[in-house]
């Protein structure tokens, strides 16, 4: 899509597996997912040397007030609320990928 190769995961557990298998340039997470919410997935990815430098974007409709703060504490580059503008997401993807690795 728009020059990006996309790999999808059905749930949090599969997302974590796919991150280790595919070593993507970027991961887009929702917060509410079956088999491991987006926060749990991010925590597990940050614990692995293989995945801890992959930039994260949260794309979510989660209404919790502290969700954005928690996402940023877990290293999210961007937190985008649903419904969202596709151009905003594409801009965030580009900026997150070009941003280089996060400081450990």
């Amino acid at each position: 899509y728009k020059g990006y190769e996309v790999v999808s995961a059905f749930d949090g557990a599969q997302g974590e597996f796919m991150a280790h298998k595919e070593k993507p340039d970027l991961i887009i997470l929702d917060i509410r997912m079956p088999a491991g919410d987006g926060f749990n997935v991010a925590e597990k990815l940050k614990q692995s040397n293989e995945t801890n430098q992959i930039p994260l974007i949260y794309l979510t409709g989660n209404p919790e007030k502290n969700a954005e703060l928690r996402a940023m504490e877990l290293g999210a580059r961007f937190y985008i609320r649903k419904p969202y503008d596709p151009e905003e997401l594409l801009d965030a993807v580009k900026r997150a990928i070009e941003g280089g690795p996060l400081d450990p």
Side-chain angles (χ1 to χ4, degrees), residues 30-79:
D30 199 341
I31 293 173
R32 294 183 178 171
M33 301 184 297
D37 71 28
F39 295 136
N40 290 334
V41 172
E43 287 170 353
K44 290 177 182 175
L45 294 174
K46 293 301 175 190
Q47 292 173 2
S48 170
N49 288 334
E50 294 182 1
T51 57
N52 64 4
Q53 293 297 311
I54 300 172
L56 301 175
I57 294 176
Y58 279 88
L59 179 64
T60 186
N62 188 325
E64 296 175 25
K65 292 181 181 180
N66 66 344
E68 183 172 1
L69 176 61
R70 185 163 181 210
M72 295 308 198
E73 288 173 347
L74 288 169
R77 297 283 178 112
F78 297 96
Y79 185 93

Side-chain angles (χ1 to χ4, degrees), residues 1-103:
Y1 182 77
K2 295 281 185 180
Y4 296 107
E5 181 181 339
V6 177
V7 177
S8 298
F10 175 72
D11 60 25
Q14 186 182 33
E16 183 184 347
F17 172 80
M18 293 300 289
H20 283 275
K21 179 182 176 198
E22 299 290 332
K23 310 289 189 294
D25 295 322
L26 171 75
I27 296 171
I28 299 175
L29 289 171
D30 199 341
I31 293 173
R32 294 183 178 171
M33 301 184 297
D37 71 28
F39 295 136
N40 290 334
V41 172
E43 287 170 353
K44 290 177 182 175
L45 294 174
K46 293 301 175 190
Q47 292 173 2
S48 170
N49 288 334
E50 294 182 1
T51 57
N52 64 4
Q53 293 297 311
I54 300 172
L56 301 175
I57 294 176
Y58 279 88
L59 179 64
T60 186
N62 188 325
E64 296 175 25
K65 292 181 181 180
N66 66 344
E68 183 172 1
L69 176 61
R70 185 163 181 210
M72 295 308 198
E73 288 173 347
L74 288 169
R77 297 283 178 112
F78 297 96
Y79 185 93
I80 300 172
R81 295 181 192 281
K82 296 178 187 175
Y84 66 96
D85 175 356
E87 292 301 319
E88 177 188 7
L89 176 59
L90 286 172
D91 181 59
V93 166
K94 181 180 179 186
R95 291 172 55 200
I97 290 173
E98 291 176 354
L102 290 172
D103 294 330

